[in-house]
Amino acid sequence: DHLGSSARHTKALLSRHSFKERYKTTHSYLAKLKELIEDPQHSLPDVFVWMISGGKRVAYQRLAARHLLFSPVEQERGKHCATTQTLFLKLPGRKSSGPGGWAIQGKLQVYMWLGLMKHKKNLVPGIPKGYELSYELRNIERSLTLPPVSLHYTQKQTFQLRAHMYQARSLIASDSSGLSDPFARVIIGEHCRVTQVIDETLSPTWDEMLVLDDILVYGTKEEIKASPPLVLIEIFDQDN
């Protein structure tokens, strides 16, 4: 009730001179509303993606199930349902907030769809095209047919990335001198290249071009053009 009366008061006092102030106030109302719609405990448990090495869980990412949930009504559908997204994995526990957690532990391209079996035919349209039509996909509308365990892609494109690495500014000091010895790492898909190291600076100028050849991307050219692979740049100090 208090929020409603405050909103009516804001609307009543709106003028050309008070617009910026009212706009700021409206954003504060929006933040309060977002807090109200977040349930303290959701009916569906969150989805965890773990990276396991040597039997140990070394990195993860957590996704809210409601963002992956399918609904025939578009407005009720999760924002990441049936979309290809990039997940950056992080260290578990408190490790992720320390210096060791600054580096990205892993990067995944994922496509997720969470819904009822009777709606399973709706998981297909969002999958990037270029795959063979398997028996499961051809009969996806039959009630007893399970979704395919894997897809075999026949369409693939080869690209070259040219990364013009010019300069960086205001980096974090990591040496006792208050400076760093920075270099940059460019990652796309499974490929990685690094720049030269610039000694003793927080504002390096590399002025260097990194060429990454034979980047294989699955799918049709049209879809790759509409949603190209993500290019990731990390900056490190040479000393551990």
Side-chain angles (χ1 to χ4, degrees):
D1 291 343
H2 172 69
L3 192 62
S5 59
S6 299
R8 286 191 293 272
H9 179 68
T10 300
K11 184 179 178 181
L13 294 178
L14 185 64
S15 67
R16 184 166 59 87
H17 300 290
S18 64
F19 178 77
K20 283 187 177 179
E21 185 184 339
R22 300 298 174 229
Y23 182 74
K24 187 177 179 181
T25 306
T26 305
H27 267 277
S28 70
Y29 293 159
L30 181 62
K32 289 178 182 177
L33 286 171
K34 284 182 177 178
E35 287 177 7
L36 289 172
I37 63 170
E38 282 286 347
D39 292 330
Q41 184 173 348
H42 296 291
S43 55
L44 276 174
D46 288 347
V47 175
F48 284 81
V49 178
W50 284 98
M51 180 166 69
I52 298 173
S53 176
K56 293 183 178 180
R57 296 178 175 184
V58 294
Y60 83 105
Q61 189 52 268
R62 179 176 183 170
L63 302 109
R66 60 194 170 84
H67 291 160
L68 309 173
L69 203 59
F70 174 78
S71 170
V73 181
E74 187 177 351
Q75 289 80 0
E76 297 173 356
R77 209 171 298 160
K79 60 182 179 181
H80 296 310
C81 176
T83 62
T84 303
Q85 58 174 314
T86 301
L87 283 189
F88 296 113
L89 304 184
K90 57 185 180 180
L91 292 171
R94 293 182 179 178
K95 295 177 185 176
S96 62
S97 57
W102 293 351
I104 293 168
Q105 307 302 311
K107 177 173 74 75
L108 296 175
Q109 286 288 106
V110 299
Y111 175 90
M112 293 193 177
W113 186 94
L114 179 62
L116 300 174
M117 280 294 288
K118 67 179 181 180
H119 294 146
K120 66 181 184 296
K121 68 177 181 180
N122 296 283
L123 71 86
V124 178
I127 300 173
K129 301 295 185 291
Y131 53 82
E132 285 183 346
L133 214 56
S134 63
Y135 171 82
E136 293 93 341
L137 288 172
R138 287 197 303 270
N139 297 278
I140 194 74
E141 295 194 30
R142 294 185 180 179
S143 59
L144 297 177
T145 305
L146 294 173
V149 175
S150 61
L151 296 175
H152 180 249
Y153 274 81
T154 55
Q155 292 195 45
K156 52 189 176 183
Q157 320 295 333
T158 305
F159 291 88
Q160 180 191 72
L161 173 69
R162 297 186 178 193
H164 298 268
M165 305 300 293
Y166 181 48
Q167 60 186 196
R169 290 288 178 264
S170 305
L171 300 180
I172 298 171
S174 59
D175 295 345
S176 56
S177 62
L179 300 169
S180 293
D181 306 315
F183 68 93
R185 183 166 71 183
V186 177
I187 303 168
I188 180 169
E190 300 172 352
H191 298 259
C192 171
R193 287 290 302 275
V194 297
T195 65
Q196 60 187 319
V197 177
I198 308 292
D199 295 328
E200 298 292 311
T201 180
L202 297 181
S203 299
T205 298
W206 293 290
D207 197 13
E208 187 177 352
M209 184 177 73
L210 303 179
V211 179
L212 292 86
D213 286 313
D214 299 324
I215 299 165
L216 197 62
V217 183
Y218 290 91
T220 63
K221 289 181 180 179
E222 292 74 23
E223 287 191 313
I224 295 169
K225 184 178 179 180
S227 181
L230 201 68
V231 178
L232 178 65
I233 298 173
E234 292 185 293
I235 298 178
F236 297 97
D237 180 64
Q238 186 184 32
D239 306 318
N240 290 331

